[in-house]
Every structure is written in structure tokens, then in C-alpha cells.
Amino acid sequence: MRLREIYEDKKTGAFPKISFEVFPPKGGEEHYPALYEELNILKKYNPALVSLTWGAGGKNNNSMELVRALRQDLKLDVMAHFTCICNSREMVEKHIKEIESFGIENVLALRGDEPQDIDVCHTDFRYANELVEFIKSKTDLSVGVAGYPEGHIEAESLDADIENLKRKLNSGGEAVFTQLFFDNDKFFSYVELVRKKGIEVPVIPGIMPIISYKQVEKMTSVAKISVPEMLRENLEKYKDNPDDMKKFGIDYATSQCEELIKSGVCGLHFYTLNKSYSTSKILDNILTAV
Ligand code: FAD
């Protein structure tokens, strides 16, 4: 199903559509079976989409085999990510055609981030809107784009960032998948702002279960993500206790999801970090509560 159809499909009831984000395992192909195992566990939640990231800097160009396997062997509805950075027109065209031939209908078009360790980088596309336009001109793929509830880290203001979001949607983007956030109010006010600007496409909140102190530190150092006081206190409290941190992370994300569902979101996009455990627990919690 294409993005619009997924998020506007009311047949399956009011429960938001679930999607899982995974990345190509760092160790390469020999680690794919471990990822398949985790995805086979998550499959029982009937994901509308499994989205597979694309490493900037051409680091995982061989992930096309993974894209194929997720679609054709695991029978998942895949949304493949693509980045502008270090991707030439020729490379993108070759890959998107391949993706279509696998029976995939959706892609997420991103700019990506400049790699630190590569000298030559193609610069055919500068911003994601150019990539969206290119993909739409060459294929019939349905294209999603990224949104930032607290603004993209390089944007001069949230307003300017939403103007950019509009550019991506005007180029053919059909749904917005957000950066993770820990403060639901940031998401709610973002959606309000976005709607005020006349954007009507689905906006799908990104949820990342907290599994460690380091993970939160890393994320908040590279992106604009607020950490509410209560969360900060608990991160300190469980800093040296991985099991309790994981349990806390599950409870925290469960509360976030419950509030988001109550507000009527059409989807929940889980940043799984290639692990099923926390995401499954959160989904078990919210499904029993429904
Ligand atoms: P853009 O929309 O191009 O925006 C980048 C910056 O430029 C913003 O500050 C924007 O406001 C500004 N801007 C845009 N257009 C203009 C313009 N015309 N003039 C001036 N300023 C402009 N990264 C990966 O490498 N691989 C992945 O698979 C991946 N998956 C992601 C999935 C999601 C759901 C999200 C939220 C992010 C993901 N990222 C991924 C990270 C993403 O690539 C970075 O956040 C990147 O810095 C911005 O990408 P973008 O597509 O939002 O860029």
C-alpha cells in the first residue's frame, strides 16, 4: 500500500498504523539473520511499514540486497530510505528502479548528513526537496519526508524549517515521519503549526524507546531534542543500572504512545535500533490498554 492509503485507511479501526525503523547491521551480511529474527518477532504487530535506513557517504550501498530480502523473503512492506549526500542522479535512478522491481511502493527521501571520513562526495542533490522531485519524475513511488518537531538543528528557526517541509511536500512528499522526541507537547505544537501553514498530509510521530543513558546523550547532542525534567532525573537515577533503565524506557515510551493515541495520531513510527524487546513490550502495553 502507498503512504496515503496506509494512513488514510480507516477500515482497520481507529488504532494507529505501526511502523518500525531498522538499519543495515554494521557487521554486514553475516549479521542479517539476527535482524531477520528481531523482525520476525515484530511481525506479529502487523506493521504497515518497515523502514530501512540508508547510510550517508555510500557506506551501505550493498544494502539493496537487504531491501530485497525484507520485501521478498520476509514479505514485509518496506519503505526504503534514500539520501542526497554522496548519491549521484545515476545512482539514485538505478536504485529506485531496482526498488520498484522488488515490489516496493514507498521510499523516504532525505538529505542525510555529511560523512566525516570520505573525500569525494557527489553533490547532485543539495536538499531533500530536490531528491523528492527527482524520484517523483522517474518513478511512481510514494515518497515520505522527514520532519522535526523542535526544528532541524541547522534551520534558523522552526518556522523556516516548516517552510522547507512545505517545499518537500510541494515536490511530491506524501507523509511526514518525525524525528524522535521525548516531550509530546513539542509534537502537538508542531502539528498545530504545520496545519496552520496549510499542510494536510499525515504526520507520523517518531518514538525511540530509551535503552541507555549513552543513547540519549548521543541523540540529544546531534539533534534538537528536549529532555523534560522528570526524564532527566530518571536518566540520572538509572544511569548505572541497565535493566532498570530499559524498564523505565519502556514505561516512558508507553505513556508517550498512550497520550499520542488519545490525541488521534494516525501512526506510530518506532526507532527500534534493530532490537524487538522494548518495542514489543511497549506495543503489548498499549494494545492491552486499548
Ligand atoms: P532537508 O529537508 O534537506 O533539510 C536540511 C536542512 O536544510 C534543514 O535545516 C532545512 O531547514 C534546510 N533547508 C532545506 N531546504 C533548504 C533551502 N532550499 N534553503 C535553505 N535551507 C534549506 N539520515 C541518513 O543518513 N540516513 C537515513 O536513513 C535517515 N533516516 C531518517 C529518518 C527520519 C524519520 C528522520 C527524521 C531523519 C533521518 N535521517 C537519516 C537524518 C537526516 O538525514 C538528517 O536529519 C539531515 O540532517 C536532514 O535531512 P532532511 O531530509 O530533513 O534534510
Side-chain angles (χ1 to χ4, degrees), residues 21 52-56 81-83 108-113 126-129 146-148 152-155 160-161 164 167-168 177-180 269 271:
E21 184 165 312
L52 179 69
T53 69
W54 180 271
H81 297 200
F82 265 106
T83 58
L108 189 68
L110 304 137
R111 186 196 65 179
D113 290 313
R126 186 159 178 215
Y127 295 114
N129 67 292
Y148 302 84
H152 183 260
I153 195 152
E154 293 160 34
D161 203 31
N164 163 55
R167 244 190 308 271
K168 294 194 273 194
F177 291 81
T178 81
Q179 171 73 278
L180 68 102
H269 184 69
Y271 293 98

Side-chain angles (χ1 to χ4, degrees), residues 40-67:
N40 277 324
I41 296 171
L42 290 172
K43 237 176 146 175
K44 84 169 198 208
Y45 300 99
N46 294 322
L49 289 170
V50 168
S51 88
L52 179 69
T53 69
W54 180 271
K59 278 186 191 147
N60 61 355
N61 287 347
N62 60 353
S63 64
M64 288 309 286
E65 167 49 20
L66 186 57
V67 175

Side-chain angles (χ1 to χ4, degrees), residues 11 46 67 71 79 121 140 157 199 204 216 228 242 268 284:
K11 284 193 298 263
N46 294 322
V67 175
R71 175 71 201 115
M79 176 168 72
C121 203
D140 188 37
S157 65
I199 294 172
I204 299 103
V216 178
L268 292 170
D284 289 342

